[in-house]
Amino acid sequence: MALKKLLPLLYFFKRQVSNSKLWLSIRLGLVKKAKIQPYLGFGSGREIYLAGRVLEDKGIAPANEEDGFKENFRSMRKRFLTVIFPGLDVRLVWGEEEFLAKTDEEGYFEFRFSPMKKPESGWNSLSLSLPKPPIRKQEQVEASGWIYVPSEKADFGIISDIDDTILPTGATRLWDMLKTTFANNAHTRIPFAGVAALYDALRKGSDGEDSNPIFYVSSSPWNLYDFLQELMAVHQIPRGPLMLRDLGLSRDQFIAGSHWDHKLKQAKHILSAYPDLPFILIGDSGQKDPEIYLEICRDFPGRIQGVYIRAVADRDLSKLQGDYKILDVPFILMQDSLDASRHAAGMGWILEEDQGTILRQKLQDEAS
């Protein structure tokens, strides 16, 4: 309790130090370029949502397969030793519309607006810029953002965790997680066998079209955003908005906010954005995904078609399975991607022939 009371004071000193460091770094020429890092957004005819951050451009290049520990550690260190720009205006141009947002004390910005014209389904681009770049020698700071709008043909949406659901991470074991994060890159971090084919099958659904939206909600820090984007592209995991969280001292947290609160908030945001769309939830047994998803099922009755939980921890989930049964929501504790594919095909959520594709990829992944 005493430490909690100290948070505002500690955060005040942190901000003073950060602001002084930023001012001095710019004056001494240590920070040469700022960049806008937009996160993949999503929307509909009712609302468009996009977030991002303004931070130092450290020139982190895509990884190579042959990169070793030294190169991987250097890139990860750059991602976590961020220099951020608070209090800056960010301009967003969407067609003929223009909006302004201001970066907060940690450099984050957020746009939410109702578009005048209904956007097309699929990926829609928009333009971002800084009206007043923070570094004088850098005359323009611009970036392109992307918004995903689900098709009217979508059968359902998917909300998936990442750590220990898509990627073996050891999220419940701090040292293992740190070693895995800093020693590897997008090529050497290998997803669970068959994951890419499973998610592709779910994205296509029962009609074989790429119409079902996938959202990734994880407690990984925003510092890993570009790394996770690169990893998903390398391993052909379907693209979708990533909802991560801030890491570090803030006004109300010492290191990181509650895993439970973060995932619940983001999932509710997504479900509320598409009130007519049912969802499938995918997570793992290592943390609290089964309990969080149960609360979502209760808060959004009739909206959750099924819950897939990857078994990565020795937990007795029999009581939770009974709770899901009462709500009439299928709860599948899966050992691998095939368990999920069998159930999804049996429910008519994916094509029967996609089971063969998932099996082949699983065997290839395990062999390599």
Side-chain angles (χ1 to χ4, degrees), residues 262-290:
H262 166 71
K263 298 193 83 168
L264 201 58
K265 176 184 176 182
Q266 299 301 341
K268 286 183 176 181
H269 180 189
I270 296 164
L271 282 156
S272 298
Y274 306 106
D276 300 322
L277 195 64
F279 275 81
I280 293 171
L281 310 180
I282 310 176
D284 64 84
S285 62
Q287 293 180 293
K288 292 290 183 180
D289 288 349

PDB file of all heavy atoms in Angstrom, residues 262-290:
ATOM      1  N   HIS A 262      -5.991  -6.172 -19.023  1.00  0.00           N
ATOM      2  CA  HIS A 262      -5.621  -5.819 -20.395  1.00  0.00           C
ATOM      3  C   HIS A 262      -6.378  -6.667 -21.407  1.00  0.00           C
ATOM      4  O   HIS A 262      -6.998  -6.145 -22.346  1.00  0.00           O
ATOM      5  CB  HIS A 262      -4.115  -5.992 -20.591  1.00  0.00           C
ATOM      6  CG  HIS A 262      -3.691  -5.975 -22.027  1.00  0.00           C
ATOM      7  ND1 HIS A 262      -3.711  -4.823 -22.793  1.00  0.00           N
ATOM      8  CD2 HIS A 262      -3.256  -6.975 -22.858  1.00  0.00           C
ATOM      9  CE1 HIS A 262      -3.316  -5.109 -24.020  1.00  0.00           C
ATOM     10  NE2 HIS A 262      -3.027  -6.402 -24.082  1.00  0.00           N
ATOM     11  N   LYS A 263      -6.354  -7.988 -21.236  1.00  0.00           N
ATOM     12  CA  LYS A 263      -6.987  -8.868 -22.210  1.00  0.00           C
ATOM     13  C   LYS A 263      -8.505  -8.700 -22.217  1.00  0.00           C
ATOM     14  O   LYS A 263      -9.146  -8.729 -23.270  1.00  0.00           O
ATOM     15  CB  LYS A 263      -6.603 -10.322 -21.935  1.00  0.00           C
ATOM     16  CG  LYS A 263      -5.123 -10.589 -22.056  1.00  0.00           C
ATOM     17  CD  LYS A 263      -4.790 -12.057 -22.102  1.00  0.00           C
ATOM     18  CE  LYS A 263      -4.937 -12.598 -23.498  1.00  0.00           C
ATOM     19  NZ  LYS A 263      -4.363 -13.938 -23.648  1.00  0.00           N
ATOM     20  N   LEU A 264      -9.060  -8.497 -21.039  1.00  0.00           N
ATOM     21  CA  LEU A 264     -10.500  -8.306 -20.946  1.00  0.00           C
ATOM     22  C   LEU A 264     -10.925  -7.014 -21.646  1.00  0.00           C
ATOM     23  O   LEU A 264     -11.892  -6.986 -22.417  1.00  0.00           O
ATOM     24  CB  LEU A 264     -10.917  -8.277 -19.470  1.00  0.00           C
ATOM     25  CG  LEU A 264     -12.379  -8.572 -19.133  1.00  0.00           C
ATOM     26  CD1 LEU A 264     -12.789  -9.943 -19.643  1.00  0.00           C
ATOM     27  CD2 LEU A 264     -12.605  -8.470 -17.631  1.00  0.00           C
ATOM     28  N   LYS A 265     -10.175  -5.948 -21.399  1.00  0.00           N
ATOM     29  CA  LYS A 265     -10.490  -4.649 -22.005  1.00  0.00           C
ATOM     30  C   LYS A 265     -10.412  -4.714 -23.525  1.00  0.00           C
ATOM     31  O   LYS A 265     -11.316  -4.239 -24.229  1.00  0.00           O
ATOM     32  CB  LYS A 265      -9.522  -3.591 -21.475  1.00  0.00           C
ATOM     33  CG  LYS A 265      -9.693  -2.225 -22.117  1.00  0.00           C
ATOM     34  CD  LYS A 265      -8.628  -1.256 -21.622  1.00  0.00           C
ATOM     35  CE  LYS A 265      -8.739   0.085 -22.349  1.00  0.00           C
ATOM     36  NZ  LYS A 265      -7.665   1.026 -21.912  1.00  0.00           N
ATOM     37  N   GLN A 266      -9.330  -5.297 -24.051  1.00  0.00           N
ATOM     38  CA  GLN A 266      -9.167  -5.339 -25.504  1.00  0.00           C
ATOM     39  C   GLN A 266     -10.197  -6.248 -26.165  1.00  0.00           C
ATOM     40  O   GLN A 266     -10.733  -5.927 -27.232  1.00  0.00           O
ATOM     41  CB  GLN A 266      -7.745  -5.789 -25.846  1.00  0.00           C
ATOM     42  CG  GLN A 266      -6.639  -4.893 -25.331  1.00  0.00           C
ATOM     43  CD  GLN A 266      -6.746  -3.465 -25.843  1.00  0.00           C
ATOM     44  OE1 GLN A 266      -7.405  -3.194 -26.836  1.00  0.00           O
ATOM     45  NE2 GLN A 266      -6.114  -2.542 -25.149  1.00  0.00           N
ATOM     46  N   ALA A 267     -10.477  -7.392 -25.554  1.00  0.00           N
ATOM     47  CA  ALA A 267     -11.477  -8.303 -26.122  1.00  0.00           C
ATOM     48  C   ALA A 267     -12.853  -7.648 -26.146  1.00  0.00           C
ATOM     49  O   ALA A 267     -13.603  -7.774 -27.126  1.00  0.00           O
ATOM     50  CB  ALA A 267     -11.513  -9.602 -25.326  1.00  0.00           C
ATOM     51  N   LYS A 268     -13.192  -6.934 -25.072  1.00  0.00           N
ATOM     52  CA  LYS A 268     -14.488  -6.249 -25.023  1.00  0.00           C
ATOM     53  C   LYS A 268     -14.567  -5.153 -26.087  1.00  0.00           C
ATOM     54  O   LYS A 268     -15.626  -4.931 -26.689  1.00  0.00           O
ATOM     55  CB  LYS A 268     -14.715  -5.664 -23.632  1.00  0.00           C
ATOM     56  CG  LYS A 268     -15.058  -6.706 -22.574  1.00  0.00           C
ATOM     57  CD  LYS A 268     -15.338  -6.068 -21.217  1.00  0.00           C
ATOM     58  CE  LYS A 268     -15.782  -7.105 -20.204  1.00  0.00           C
ATOM     59  NZ  LYS A 268     -16.094  -6.502 -18.880  1.00  0.00           N
ATOM     60  N   HIS A 269     -13.454  -4.461 -26.295  1.00  0.00           N
ATOM     61  CA  HIS A 269     -13.411  -3.433 -27.339  1.00  0.00           C
ATOM     62  C   HIS A 269     -13.716  -4.041 -28.709  1.00  0.00           C
ATOM     63  O   HIS A 269     -14.539  -3.519 -29.469  1.00  0.00           O
ATOM     64  CB  HIS A 269     -12.020  -2.777 -27.331  1.00  0.00           C
ATOM     65  CG  HIS A 269     -11.847  -1.705 -28.359  1.00  0.00           C
ATOM     66  ND1 HIS A 269     -10.629  -1.123 -28.645  1.00  0.00           N
ATOM     67  CD2 HIS A 269     -12.729  -1.099 -29.208  1.00  0.00           C
ATOM     68  CE1 HIS A 269     -10.777  -0.226 -29.594  1.00  0.00           C
ATOM     69  NE2 HIS A 269     -12.042  -0.196 -29.952  1.00  0.00           N
ATOM     70  N   ILE A 270     -13.079  -5.158 -29.016  1.00  0.00           N
ATOM     71  CA  ILE A 270     -13.281  -5.813 -30.314  1.00  0.00           C
ATOM     72  C   ILE A 270     -14.713  -6.327 -30.461  1.00  0.00           C
ATOM     73  O   ILE A 270     -15.372  -6.103 -31.484  1.00  0.00           O
ATOM     74  CB  ILE A 270     -12.273  -6.970 -30.479  1.00  0.00           C
ATOM     75  CG1 ILE A 270     -10.845  -6.428 -30.509  1.00  0.00           C
ATOM     76  CG2 ILE A 270     -12.566  -7.766 -31.750  1.00  0.00           C
ATOM     77  CD1 ILE A 270      -9.777  -7.479 -30.290  1.00  0.00           C
ATOM     78  N   LEU A 271     -15.208  -7.013 -29.443  1.00  0.00           N
ATOM     79  CA  LEU A 271     -16.575  -7.553 -29.501  1.00  0.00           C
ATOM     80  C   LEU A 271     -17.609  -6.443 -29.628  1.00  0.00           C
ATOM     81  O   LEU A 271     -18.616  -6.590 -30.334  1.00  0.00           O
ATOM     82  CB  LEU A 271     -16.836  -8.392 -28.255  1.00  0.00           C
ATOM     83  CG  LEU A 271     -16.218  -9.794 -28.270  1.00  0.00           C
ATOM     84  CD1 LEU A 271     -16.002 -10.306 -26.860  1.00  0.00           C
ATOM     85  CD2 LEU A 271     -17.094 -10.758 -29.047  1.00  0.00           C
ATOM     86  N   SER A 272     -17.370  -5.329 -28.954  1.00  0.00           N
ATOM     87  CA  SER A 272     -18.311  -4.199 -29.015  1.00  0.00           C
ATOM     88  C   SER A 272     -18.276  -3.518 -30.383  1.00  0.00           C
ATOM     89  O   SER A 272     -19.275  -2.943 -30.821  1.00  0.00           O
ATOM     90  CB  SER A 272     -17.992  -3.179 -27.918  1.00  0.00           C
ATOM     91  OG  SER A 272     -18.133  -3.767 -26.637  1.00  0.00           O
ATOM     92  N   ALA A 273     -17.115  -3.591 -31.056  1.00  0.00           N
ATOM     93  CA  ALA A 273     -16.989  -2.957 -32.371  1.00  0.00           C
ATOM     94  C   ALA A 273     -17.793  -3.705 -33.430  1.00  0.00           C
ATOM     95  O   ALA A 273     -18.195  -3.118 -34.439  1.00  0.00           O
ATOM     96  CB  ALA A 273     -15.515  -2.898 -32.782  1.00  0.00           C
ATOM     97  N   TYR A 274     -18.042  -5.010 -33.206  1.00  0.00           N
ATOM     98  CA  TYR A 274     -18.768  -5.829 -34.175  1.00  0.00           C
ATOM     99  C   TYR A 274     -19.886  -6.581 -33.460  1.00  0.00           C
ATOM    100  O   TYR A 274     -19.805  -7.798 -33.231  1.00  0.00           O
ATOM    101  CB  TYR A 274     -17.804  -6.803 -34.860  1.00  0.00           C
ATOM    102  CG  TYR A 274     -16.622  -6.099 -35.476  1.00  0.00           C
ATOM    103  CD1 TYR A 274     -15.358  -6.173 -34.883  1.00  0.00           C
ATOM    104  CD2 TYR A 274     -16.765  -5.333 -36.624  1.00  0.00           C
ATOM    105  CE1 TYR A 274     -14.271  -5.511 -35.436  1.00  0.00           C
ATOM    106  CE2 TYR A 274     -15.687  -4.671 -37.181  1.00  0.00           C
ATOM    107  CZ  TYR A 274     -14.444  -4.751 -36.580  1.00  0.00           C
ATOM    108  OH  TYR A 274     -13.373  -4.086 -37.126  1.00  0.00           O
ATOM    109  N   PRO A 275     -20.947  -5.881 -33.084  1.00  0.00           N
ATOM    110  CA  PRO A 275     -22.005  -6.487 -32.251  1.00  0.00           C
ATOM    111  C   PRO A 275     -22.767  -7.625 -32.910  1.00  0.00           C
ATOM    112  O   PRO A 275     -23.410  -8.411 -32.216  1.00  0.00           O
ATOM    113  CB  PRO A 275     -22.926  -5.298 -31.955  1.00  0.00           C
ATOM    114  CG  PRO A 275     -22.663  -4.310 -33.039  1.00  0.00           C
ATOM    115  CD  PRO A 275     -21.222  -4.465 -33.391  1.00  0.00           C
ATOM    116  N   ASP A 276     -22.682  -7.740 -34.235  1.00  0.00           N
ATOM    117  CA  ASP A 276     -23.434  -8.779 -34.930  1.00  0.00           C
ATOM    118  C   ASP A 276     -22.564  -9.982 -35.307  1.00  0.00           C
ATOM    119  O   ASP A 276     -23.055 -10.911 -35.968  1.00  0.00           O
ATOM    120  CB  ASP A 276     -24.073  -8.208 -36.206  1.00  0.00           C
ATOM    121  CG  ASP A 276     -25.028  -7.061 -35.904  1.00  0.00           C
ATOM    122  OD1 ASP A 276     -25.730  -7.144 -34.881  1.00  0.00           O
ATOM    123  OD2 ASP A 276     -25.044  -6.077 -36.671  1.00  0.00           O
ATOM    124  N   LEU A 277     -21.309  -9.979 -34.890  1.00  0.00           N
ATOM    125  CA  LEU A 277     -20.380 -11.020 -35.301  1.00  0.00           C
ATOM    126  C   LEU A 277     -20.045 -11.941 -34.128  1.00  0.00           C
ATOM    127  O   LEU A 277     -19.602 -11.470 -33.075  1.00  0.00           O
ATOM    128  CB  LEU A 277     -19.092 -10.382 -35.828  1.00  0.00           C
ATOM    129  CG  LEU A 277     -18.120 -11.255 -36.642  1.00  0.00           C
ATOM    130  CD1 LEU A 277     -18.772 -11.724 -37.941  1.00  0.00           C
ATOM    131  CD2 LEU A 277     -16.838 -10.482 -36.934  1.00  0.00           C
ATOM    132  N   PRO A 278     -20.247 -13.258 -34.273  1.00  0.00           N
ATOM    133  CA  PRO A 278     -19.807 -14.186 -33.218  1.00  0.00           C
ATOM    134  C   PRO A 278     -18.293 -14.350 -33.272  1.00  0.00           C
ATOM    135  O   PRO A 278     -17.657 -14.035 -34.287  1.00  0.00           O
ATOM    136  CB  PRO A 278     -20.526 -15.485 -33.568  1.00  0.00           C
ATOM    137  CG  PRO A 278     -20.749 -15.410 -35.036  1.00  0.00           C
ATOM    138  CD  PRO A 278     -20.937 -13.961 -35.376  1.00  0.00           C
ATOM    139  N   PHE A 279     -17.717 -14.887 -32.192  1.00  0.00           N
ATOM    140  CA  PHE A 279     -16.260 -15.003 -32.115  1.00  0.00           C
ATOM    141  C   PHE A 279     -15.828 -16.362 -31.580  1.00  0.00           C
ATOM    142  O   PHE A 279     -16.556 -17.015 -30.828  1.00  0.00           O
ATOM    143  CB  PHE A 279     -15.685 -13.914 -31.210  1.00  0.00           C
ATOM    144  CG  PHE A 279     -15.437 -12.600 -31.923  1.00  0.00           C
ATOM    145  CD1 PHE A 279     -16.478 -11.712 -32.140  1.00  0.00           C
ATOM    146  CD2 PHE A 279     -14.175 -12.277 -32.390  1.00  0.00           C
ATOM    147  CE1 PHE A 279     -16.267 -10.520 -32.807  1.00  0.00           C
ATOM    148  CE2 PHE A 279     -13.953 -11.083 -33.058  1.00  0.00           C
ATOM    149  CZ  PHE A 279     -14.988 -10.200 -33.267  1.00  0.00           C
ATOM    150  N   ILE A 280     -14.617 -16.760 -31.983  1.00  0.00           N
ATOM    151  CA  ILE A 280     -13.916 -17.899 -31.411  1.00  0.00           C
ATOM    152  C   ILE A 280     -12.719 -17.339 -30.650  1.00  0.00           C
ATOM    153  O   ILE A 280     -12.007 -16.463 -31.164  1.00  0.00           O
ATOM    154  CB  ILE A 280     -13.443 -18.871 -32.508  1.00  0.00           C
ATOM    155  CG1 ILE A 280     -14.652 -19.538 -33.179  1.00  0.00           C
ATOM    156  CG2 ILE A 280     -12.500 -19.926 -31.945  1.00  0.00           C
ATOM    157  CD1 ILE A 280     -14.298 -20.340 -34.417  1.00  0.00           C
ATOM    158  N   LEU A 281     -12.484 -17.824 -29.430  1.00  0.00           N
ATOM    159  CA  LEU A 281     -11.383 -17.344 -28.604  1.00  0.00           C
ATOM    160  C   LEU A 281     -10.327 -18.441 -28.488  1.00  0.00           C
ATOM    161  O   LEU A 281     -10.656 -19.601 -28.245  1.00  0.00           O
ATOM    162  CB  LEU A 281     -11.888 -16.964 -27.212  1.00  0.00           C
ATOM    163  CG  LEU A 281     -13.108 -16.034 -27.140  1.00  0.00           C
ATOM    164  CD1 LEU A 281     -13.478 -15.759 -25.682  1.00  0.00           C
ATOM    165  CD2 LEU A 281     -12.848 -14.730 -27.883  1.00  0.00           C
ATOM    166  N   ILE A 282      -9.047 -18.058 -28.650  1.00  0.00           N
ATOM    167  CA  ILE A 282      -7.948 -19.015 -28.589  1.00  0.00           C
ATOM    168  C   ILE A 282      -6.910 -18.522 -27.588  1.00  0.00           C
ATOM    169  O   ILE A 282      -6.480 -17.367 -27.646  1.00  0.00           O
ATOM    170  CB  ILE A 282      -7.286 -19.218 -29.969  1.00  0.00           C
ATOM    171  CG1 ILE A 282      -8.347 -19.513 -31.040  1.00  0.00           C
ATOM    172  CG2 ILE A 282      -6.263 -20.341 -29.912  1.00  0.00           C
ATOM    173  CD1 ILE A 282      -7.785 -19.633 -32.445  1.00  0.00           C
ATOM    174  N   GLY A 283      -6.515 -19.401 -26.656  1.00  0.00           N
ATOM    175  CA  GLY A 283      -5.525 -19.027 -25.651  1.00  0.00           C
ATOM    176  C   GLY A 283      -4.750 -20.238 -25.177  1.00  0.00           C
ATOM    177  O   GLY A 283      -4.665 -21.251 -25.876  1.00  0.00           O
ATOM    178  N   ASP A 284      -4.191 -20.141 -23.983  1.00  0.00           N
ATOM    179  CA  ASP A 284      -3.424 -21.264 -23.432  1.00  0.00           C
ATOM    180  C   ASP A 284      -3.704 -21.380 -21.940  1.00  0.00           C
ATOM    181  O   ASP A 284      -4.278 -20.478 -21.322  1.00  0.00           O
ATOM    182  CB  ASP A 284      -1.928 -21.075 -23.687  1.00  0.00           C
ATOM    183  CG  ASP A 284      -1.356 -19.863 -22.974  1.00  0.00           C
ATOM    184  OD1 ASP A 284      -1.000 -19.991 -21.778  1.00  0.00           O
ATOM    185  OD2 ASP A 284      -1.281 -18.778 -23.583  1.00  0.00           O
ATOM    186  N   SER A 285      -3.269 -22.496 -21.378  1.00  0.00           N
ATOM    187  CA  SER A 285      -3.547 -22.785 -19.969  1.00  0.00           C
ATOM    188  C   SER A 285      -2.461 -22.260 -19.035  1.00  0.00           C
ATOM    189  O   SER A 285      -2.535 -22.448 -17.831  1.00  0.00           O
ATOM    190  CB  SER A 285      -3.693 -24.303 -19.766  1.00  0.00           C
ATOM    191  OG  SER A 285      -2.475 -24.962 -20.103  1.00  0.00           O
ATOM    192  N   GLY A 286      -1.437 -21.590 -19.604  1.00  0.00           N
ATOM    193  CA  GLY A 286      -0.311 -21.172 -18.790  1.00  0.00           C
ATOM    194  C   GLY A 286      -0.610 -20.035 -17.839  1.00  0.00           C
ATOM    195  O   GLY A 286      -0.038 -19.960 -16.758  1.00  0.00           O
ATOM    196  N   GLN A 287      -1.497 -19.130 -18.234  1.00  0.00           N
ATOM    197  CA  GLN A 287      -1.833 -17.997 -17.375  1.00  0.00           C
ATOM    198  C   GLN A 287      -3.316 -18.064 -17.010  1.00  0.00           C
ATOM    199  O   GLN A 287      -3.764 -19.045 -16.454  1.00  0.00           O
ATOM    200  CB  GLN A 287      -1.424 -16.692 -18.062  1.00  0.00           C
ATOM    201  CG  GLN A 287       0.108 -16.575 -18.199  1.00  0.00           C
ATOM    202  CD  GLN A 287       0.549 -15.302 -18.867  1.00  0.00           C
ATOM    203  OE1 GLN A 287       0.303 -15.102 -20.045  1.00  0.00           O
ATOM    204  NE2 GLN A 287       1.221 -14.439 -18.120  1.00  0.00           N
ATOM    205  N   LYS A 288      -4.085 -17.062 -17.357  1.00  0.00           N
ATOM    206  CA  LYS A 288      -5.486 -17.035 -16.930  1.00  0.00           C
ATOM    207  C   LYS A 288      -6.457 -16.957 -18.102  1.00  0.00           C
ATOM    208  O   LYS A 288      -7.608 -16.536 -17.932  1.00  0.00           O
ATOM    209  CB  LYS A 288      -5.716 -15.844 -15.990  1.00  0.00           C
ATOM    210  CG  LYS A 288      -5.025 -15.956 -14.640  1.00  0.00           C
ATOM    211  CD  LYS A 288      -5.667 -17.030 -13.781  1.00  0.00           C
ATOM    212  CE  LYS A 288      -5.039 -17.104 -12.400  1.00  0.00           C
ATOM    213  NZ  LYS A 288      -5.663 -18.147 -11.559  1.00  0.00           N
ATOM    214  N   ASP A 289      -6.022 -17.373 -19.290  1.00  0.00           N
ATOM    215  CA  ASP A 289      -6.908 -17.279 -20.449  1.00  0.00           C
ATOM    216  C   ASP A 289      -8.242 -18.005 -20.255  1.00  0.00           C
ATOM    217  O   ASP A 289      -9.297 -17.456 -20.611  1.00  0.00           O
ATOM    218  CB  ASP A 289      -6.210 -17.815 -21.697  1.00  0.00           C
ATOM    219  CG  ASP A 289      -5.108 -16.877 -22.190  1.00  0.00           C
ATOM    220  OD1 ASP A 289      -5.037 -15.739 -21.688  1.00  0.00           O
ATOM    221  OD2 ASP A 289      -4.325 -17.280 -23.057  1.00  0.00           O
ATOM    222  N   PRO A 290      -8.260 -19.228 -19.708  1.00  0.00           N
ATOM    223  CA  PRO A 290      -9.563 -19.894 -19.536  1.00  0.00           C
ATOM    224  C   PRO A 290     -10.522 -19.084 -18.664  1.00  0.00           C
ATOM    225  O   PRO A 290     -11.723 -19.006 -18.965  1.00  0.00           O
ATOM    226  CB  PRO A 290      -9.196 -21.224 -18.874  1.00  0.00           C
ATOM    227  CG  PRO A 290      -7.784 -21.470 -19.269  1.00  0.00           C
ATOM    228  CD  PRO A 290      -7.143 -20.119 -19.304  1.00  0.00           C
TER     229      PRO A 290
END
